[in-house]
Amino acid sequence: MKEILQRIHAESKHASAHGSVASYIPALASARPEALGLAAVTAEGKIFAVGDARTRFTIQSISKVFALAYVMTELGEDAVFSRVGKEPTGDPFNSIIRLETSAGRKPFNPLINAGAIVVSGLMPGFSPEDKGARFRAFVGQLIGRKDVERDEAVYLSEKGTAARNRSIAWFLKELDLLPGEVEETLDVYFRQCAVSVDAVDLARAAAVLCLDGIDPVRGERVLEARTARVCKSLMVTCGMYDGSGEFAVDVGIPAKSGVGGGIMAAVRDRMGLGVYGPALDDRGNSAAGLDALRRLSEELDLRVL
Ligand code: GLN
């Protein structure tokens, strides 16, 4: 497995040249565009890591899966899906347009920004700090680490520049979908997006999803099976933003990406994969990460769709 990852790492590295690092959150622009890390955690609990797999980066939109799992665990499925749909949009992740034009007037799914901000608004806790800390503890359970941190610079950078997300949140308030204060809800969302992880962490969480809630390293259940299945289903249809259909055809694995450059992919009953490559394509997905997942899927016959 390690040799395969090493070979694919060498083959996919050049694909970072087809992307560029996100800069709309200014602090993300300092990432090394040529970085590439690949990690796998198998159903037997073996961990493989190559390249920049131990480099920390911010989880960004991948947090939307964890936030969904967290709120489903704490408040139940209905709390989320009475306010957010389960349908893909085909629009960019930060699009606002359908909030006004769709008949239901609720976000299409929890993996686009609008849906994710609603989910952040449901997180339990006394303050944004407390909610952020509880969320990080939940993520720590999934990835087997107690010391999950937030990248303060990225958090402050997004908080200081997020005009688009503020617009979305105010629109959600008008639709009566945010129970709390708009700015506090956004604060929770920025905190969750700035959680700092590496590719191994993502592979570990993906392994939990691939085994319907069991962490293969500790051999313990850390998530309800139903929660894991809901997350994976939405990852198939919505996880790669408006590139989800193409990814399903090319790679055929439930996956979720973030503009920090991470992708996690859960291969049913076999392994969790985590990749890091901060140069993004024009949909906001890691360019080298996509290339590596395409090759891995082909080479190891990972396709589940
Ligand atoms: N924090 C980012 C945003 O809201 C997350 C987006 C992403 O990773 N696609 O813009």
Side-chain angles (χ1 to χ4, degrees):
M1 184 72 190
K2 181 124 189 177
E3 285 91 81
I4 293 174
L5 288 176
Q6 274 164 338
R7 180 161 39 76
I8 288 179
H9 180 269
E11 288 167 359
S12 294
K13 233 175 140 47
H14 71 275
S16 61
H18 302 302
S20 46
V21 298
S23 56
Y24 77 101
I25 299 173
L28 293 181
S30 57
R32 276 186 305 121
E34 70 286 0
L36 179 61
L38 306 179
V41 174
T42 66
E44 297 74 39
K46 290 211 177 74
I47 301 175
F48 300 93
V50 306
D52 298 292
R54 293 287 184 185
T55 299
R56 292 269 168 95
F57 56 92
T58 53
I59 192 168
Q60 298 298 337
S61 274
I62 302 168
S63 72
K64 294 167 179 171
V65 175
F66 301 146
L68 170 64
Y70 176 49
V71 173
M72 280 179 69
T73 302
E74 293 289 319
L75 304 177
E77 203 168 325
D78 280 357
V80 176
F81 293 107
S82 56
R83 296 172 174 86
V84 182
K86 295 180 180 138
E87 304 306 329
T89 63
D91 297 327
F93 62 88
N94 58 0
S95 178
I96 196 169
I97 191 163
R98 285 172 195 260
L99 282 180
E100 189 173 28
T101 59
S102 70
R105 311 253 294 170
K106 62 181 192 181
F108 267 53
N109 66 71
L111 304 188
I112 52 169
N113 287 16
I117 292 169
V118 172
V119 174
S120 304
L122 295 171
M123 282 191 194
F126 303 111
S127 62
E129 291 89 326
D130 182 41
K131 292 176 188 187
R134 291 193 200 192
F135 174 69
R136 290 201 308 281
F138 177 82
V139 174
Q141 271 288 107
L142 296 184
I143 65 180
R145 238 178 357 99
K146 286 206 171 69
D147 56 344
V148 179
E149 285 163 359
R150 179 178 68 241
D151 183 321
E152 199 63 15
V154 173
Y155 158 64
L156 292 173
S157 180
E158 178 163 26
K159 193 173 157 106
T161 54
R164 167 68 70 126
N165 282 328
R166 283 198 171 79
S167 313
I168 291 173
W170 278 106
F171 210 112
L172 292 168
K173 187 72 182 167
E174 196 267 336
L175 295 177
D176 216 13
L177 291 170
L178 294 188
E181 290 292 322
V182 169
E183 201 52 45
E184 286 199 4
T185 303
L186 283 165
D187 197 19
V188 175
Y189 174 74
F190 302 142
R191 283 167 191 271
Q192 80 180 51
C193 288
V195 167
S196 183
V197 292
D198 63 25
V200 175
D201 293 331
L202 294 183
R204 182 98 183 246
V208 169
L209 293 175
C210 95
L211 295 173
D212 282 347
I214 308 281
D215 171 11
V217 178
R218 285 173 296 178
E220 280 169 25
R221 175 168 294 285
V222 291
L223 208 57
E224 286 301 315
R226 166 81 188 167
T227 305
R229 289 187 195 128
V230 170
C231 289
K232 282 186 288 186
S233 305
L234 289 166
M235 284 160 67
V236 170
T237 53
C238 317
M240 305 298 283
Y241 319 123
D242 42 336
S244 299
E246 196 173 305
F247 188 85
V249 171
D250 287 355
V251 184
I253 308 170
K256 182 74 201 88
S257 63
V259 292
I263 306 178
M264 74 168 176
V267 188
R268 187 175 177 83
D269 297 335
R270 288 184 61 186
M271 68 183 78
L273 296 168
V275 306
Y276 169 58
L280 309 178
D281 68 9
D282 53 9
R283 287 157 166 161
N285 294 321
S286 168
L290 284 177
D291 191 79
L293 287 172
R294 258 186 231 115
R295 289 174 195 269
L296 271 170
S297 175
E298 190 73 27
E299 172 101 21
L300 296 172
D301 191 20
L302 298 181
R303 169 176 289 285
V304 292
L305 298 171

